[in-house]
Amino acid sequence: VQLQASGGGLVQAGGSLRLSCAASGRTFSNYAMGWFRQAPGKEREFVAAISWSGGSTYYADSVKGRFTISRDNAKNTVYLQMNSLKPEDTAVYYCAATTSRYGSSYRFTTAYDFWGQGTLVTVSS
Protein backbone atom coordinates (compact mmCIF):
# COMPACT_ATOMS: atom_id res chain seq x y z
CA VAL A 1 0.00 0.00 0.00
CA GLN A 2 1.20 3.52 -0.79
CA LEU A 3 0.75 6.21 1.84
CA GLN A 4 0.74 9.97 1.31
CA ALA A 5 0.76 12.21 4.38
CA SER A 6 -0.26 15.85 4.22
CA GLY A 7 -1.48 18.72 6.37
CA GLY A 8 1.69 19.76 8.13
CA GLY A 9 2.71 23.36 8.54
CA LEU A 10 3.67 26.14 10.90
CA VAL A 11 1.36 26.89 13.82
CA GLN A 12 1.62 28.83 17.04
CA ALA A 13 1.59 27.10 20.39
CA GLY A 14 -1.97 26.37 21.44
CA GLY A 15 -3.11 26.04 17.86
CA SER A 16 -4.44 23.10 15.91
CA LEU A 17 -3.63 21.13 12.80
CA ARG A 18 -5.18 18.11 11.12
CA LEU A 19 -2.94 15.66 9.34
CA SER A 20 -4.24 13.33 6.67
CA CYS A 21 -2.79 10.14 5.26
CA ALA A 22 -4.26 8.84 2.03
CA ALA A 23 -3.72 5.20 1.15
CA SER A 24 -3.81 3.53 -2.23
CA GLY A 25 -2.94 0.25 -3.83
CA ARG A 26 -4.48 -2.30 -1.48
CA THR A 27 -7.56 -2.74 0.67
CA PHE A 28 -7.21 0.01 3.24
CA SER A 29 -9.53 -1.62 5.77
CA ASN A 30 -7.16 -4.60 6.05
CA TYR A 31 -4.63 -2.40 7.85
CA ALA A 32 -4.34 -0.86 11.26
CA MET A 33 -2.80 2.58 10.94
CA GLY A 34 -0.34 4.51 13.04
CA TRP A 35 1.19 7.94 13.31
CA PHE A 36 4.76 8.41 14.41
CA ARG A 37 6.96 11.48 14.65
CA GLN A 38 10.64 12.24 14.55
CA ALA A 39 12.21 15.41 15.85
CA PRO A 40 15.71 16.47 14.76
CA GLY A 41 18.34 14.36 16.47
CA LYS A 42 15.80 12.06 18.06
CA GLU A 43 14.45 8.62 17.36
CA ARG A 44 11.12 8.09 15.69
CA GLU A 45 8.42 7.79 18.34
CA PHE A 46 4.89 6.51 18.49
CA VAL A 47 2.07 9.06 18.53
CA ALA A 48 -1.21 7.25 17.90
CA ALA A 49 -2.72 4.20 16.23
CA ILE A 50 -6.13 2.96 15.19
CA SER A 51 -7.40 -0.53 14.49
CA TRP A 52 -8.58 -1.62 11.05
CA SER A 53 -12.22 -1.00 11.96
CA GLY A 54 -11.58 2.20 13.88
CA GLY A 55 -13.02 0.61 16.99
CA SER A 56 -9.83 0.84 19.02
CA THR A 57 -7.42 3.71 19.36
CA TYR A 58 -4.07 4.04 21.10
CA TYR A 59 -2.11 7.10 22.15
CA ALA A 60 1.24 8.05 23.52
CA ASP A 61 0.96 9.60 26.97
CA SER A 62 2.48 12.81 25.65
CA VAL A 63 -0.45 13.46 23.29
CA LYS A 64 -3.35 11.84 25.11
CA GLY A 65 -6.21 14.28 25.48
CA ARG A 66 -4.81 16.62 22.82
CA PHE A 67 -4.60 14.46 19.69
CA THR A 68 -7.32 12.33 18.11
CA ILE A 69 -6.78 9.65 15.50
CA SER A 70 -9.63 8.61 13.21
CA ARG A 71 -10.13 6.90 9.89
CA ASP A 72 -12.57 6.87 7.01
CA ASN A 73 -12.34 3.53 5.25
CA ALA A 74 -14.61 4.74 2.45
CA LYS A 75 -12.05 7.44 1.67
CA ASN A 76 -8.97 5.29 2.39
CA THR A 77 -7.74 7.98 4.74
CA VAL A 78 -6.55 8.22 8.33
CA TYR A 79 -6.47 11.51 10.19
CA LEU A 80 -4.64 12.97 13.15
CA GLN A 81 -6.37 15.95 14.74
CA MET A 82 -3.85 17.83 16.84
CA ASN A 83 -5.07 20.41 19.34
CA SER A 84 -3.32 22.46 22.01
CA LEU A 85 -0.06 22.08 20.17
CA LYS A 86 3.20 22.63 22.01
CA PRO A 87 6.67 23.48 20.72
CA GLU A 88 7.78 19.98 21.70
CA ASP A 89 5.32 18.57 19.16
CA THR A 90 7.55 19.92 16.41
CA ALA A 91 8.65 17.00 14.24
CA VAL A 92 8.19 15.24 10.95
CA TYR A 93 5.04 13.15 11.24
CA TYR A 94 4.79 9.81 9.47
CA CYS A 95 1.82 7.57 8.86
CA ALA A 96 2.26 3.83 8.64
CA ALA A 97 0.21 0.72 7.95
CA THR A 98 0.33 -2.69 9.58
CA THR A 99 -1.45 -5.99 9.12
CA SER A 100 -0.92 -6.82 12.78
CA ARG A 101 -4.07 -7.44 14.81
CA TYR A 102 -2.27 -7.01 18.12
CA GLY A 103 -2.85 -3.60 19.65
CA SER A 104 0.12 -4.09 21.93
CA SER A 105 2.38 -4.02 18.88
CA TYR A 106 1.21 -0.71 17.48
CA ARG A 107 3.68 1.37 19.50
CA PHE A 108 6.65 -0.19 17.76
CA THR A 109 7.98 0.89 14.37
CA THR A 110 8.88 -2.71 13.61
CA ALA A 111 5.19 -3.67 13.55
CA TYR A 112 4.55 -1.62 10.43
CA ASP A 113 4.83 -2.81 6.86
CA PHE A 114 4.43 0.43 4.95
CA TRP A 115 5.39 4.04 5.62
CA GLY A 116 4.46 7.38 4.16
CA GLN A 117 6.96 10.10 3.31
CA GLY A 118 6.31 12.37 6.30
CA THR A 119 4.92 15.85 6.76
CA LEU A 120 6.61 18.56 8.81
CA VAL A 121 4.82 20.14 11.77
CA THR A 122 6.45 23.18 13.34
CA VAL A 123 5.00 24.71 16.50
CA SER A 124 6.32 28.13 17.43
CA SER A 125 6.35 29.42 20.98
Side-chain angles (χ1 to χ4, degrees):
V1 63
Q2 292 78 46
L3 302 174
Q4 180 74 38
S6 62
L10 174 64
V11 63
Q12 288 188 332
S16 298
L17 279 176
R18 188 176 81 155
L19 305 183
S20 299
C21 176
S24 62
R26 298 193 185 186
T27 304
F28 180 65
S29 58
N30 285 346
Y31 296 88
M33 299 296 296
W35 285 98
F36 288 75
R37 67 187 181 187
Q38 188 165 19
K42 295 188 176 182
E43 292 188 352
R44 193 169 297 189
E45 66 173 3
F46 171 75
V47 176
I50 189 166
S51 63
W52 62 275
S53 67
S56 298
T57 56
Y58 310 82
Y59 295 95
D61 288 344
S62 59
V63 306
K64 201 172 293 183
R66 299 189 298 123
F67 291 11
T68 302
I69 189 171
S70 61
R71 67 189 296 160
D72 185 337
N73 285 347
K75 295 183 178 179
N76 291 351
T77 302
V78 62
Y79 304 97
L80 185 68
Q81 178 67 44
M82 305 186 295
N83 299 328
S84 302
L85 282 161
K86 305 175 181 180
E88 51 263 45
D89 294 318
T90 295
V92 176
Y93 283 71
Y94 298 90
C95 58
T98 176
T99 55
S100 172
R101 290 295 189 255
Y102 297 102
S104 58
S105 71
Y106 294 162
R107 298 176 178 271
F108 303 101
T109 59
T110 52
Y112 292 83
D113 306 294
F114 303 97
W115 291 84
Q117 87 291 356
T119 185
L120 177 62
V121 173
T122 304
V123 184
S124 62
S125 57

